[in-house]
Amino acid sequence: MKHTISALVENKSGVLARIAGLFSARGFNIDSLAVGETQDAAISRMTIVVRGDDAVLEQVCKQLNKLVDVIKVQDFAGKDFVDRELILLKVSTDGKTRHEVLQIVEIFRAKIIDIKAKSMTIEATGSDSKVDAIIDMLKPFGIKELARTGKIAIARG
């Protein structure tokens, strides 16, 4: 089971390495990790997706709270939150497939951000399931490159 954790941390060098080291030392695998500055330049928000049972999640949160650079840890399990992920993907196209790819992009409310004679670069945002769905729909055309940001999340209200 995947768990989404949000951690507010000091925005200074070495914090990411310490947190990644904590996960590595304990044998926890990170499915995705996204970090960015908050409205306060001195604080960053890390959104970490971890796979494991409730015991693993509890252990992860306890270990994170022990780190000096960590201000607050929030586990979104059972809570109301919104999450998004951004992907950029380059898909093969030609005169015959271009219209089909455009229809898929429109259905998913994605954007074409670059077009070349034999490819299109697409930007899409959404939940994990939406992002996975557009990737699955575009696979038959030939995905040349793919970049994912990892999930970002914030509590509702």
Side-chain angles (χ1 to χ4, degrees):
M1 181 176 180
K2 286 186 178 181
H3 299 277
T4 302
I5 300 166
S6 175
L8 294 176
V9 299
E10 299 289 332
N11 185 11
K12 58 185 183 185
S13 64
V15 174
L16 176 60
R18 281 189 282 283
I19 289 176
L22 179 150
F23 279 83
S24 175
R26 306 290 187 290
F28 301 136
N29 186 39
I30 298 172
D31 278 6
S32 82
L33 172 68
V35 185
E37 194 175 284
T38 64
Q39 70 278 14
D40 181 348
I43 299 172
S44 291
R45 178 182 303 274
M46 288 186 170
T47 304
I48 307 163
V49 178
V50 182
R51 192 179 305 259
D53 58 19
D54 290 342
V56 168
L57 178 65
E58 184 180 341
Q59 187 67 18
V60 166
C61 290
K62 283 181 180 176
Q63 295 296 323
L64 283 171
N65 276 314
K66 288 181 181 176
L67 295 176
V68 174
D69 300 317
V70 174
I71 299 164
K72 181 181 177 184
V73 176
Q74 187 172 16
D75 166 22
F76 287 129
K79 295 184 179 149
D80 202 14
F81 69 101
V82 290
D83 63 350
R84 294 290 182 269
E85 186 174 8
L86 167 72
I87 62 164
L88 298 176
L89 65 91
K90 190 180 299 178
V91 62
S92 296
T93 58
D94 57 28
K96 295 178 184 175
T97 60
R98 186 162 297 202
H99 184 69
E100 261 184 279
V101 170
L102 285 171
Q103 285 181 321
I104 292 168
V105 167
E106 189 175 314
I107 288 167
F108 283 93
R109 296 186 187 146
K111 296 178 187 169
I112 304 294
I113 57 172
D114 189 41
I115 296 178
K116 298 292 181 195
K118 296 185 178 186
S119 68
M120 289 179 159
T121 302
I122 299 161
E123 171 191 314
T125 59
S127 64
D128 290 351
S129 59
K130 179 183 174 184
V131 168
D132 290 341
I134 192 168
I135 291 169
D136 286 344
M137 293 295 292
L138 293 171
K139 273 183 186 169
F141 299 97
I143 295 175
K144 297 173 118 183
E145 288 184 58
L146 175 66
R148 296 177 83 141
T149 60
K151 184 189 288 192
I152 59 170
I154 194 165
R156 287 186 184 255

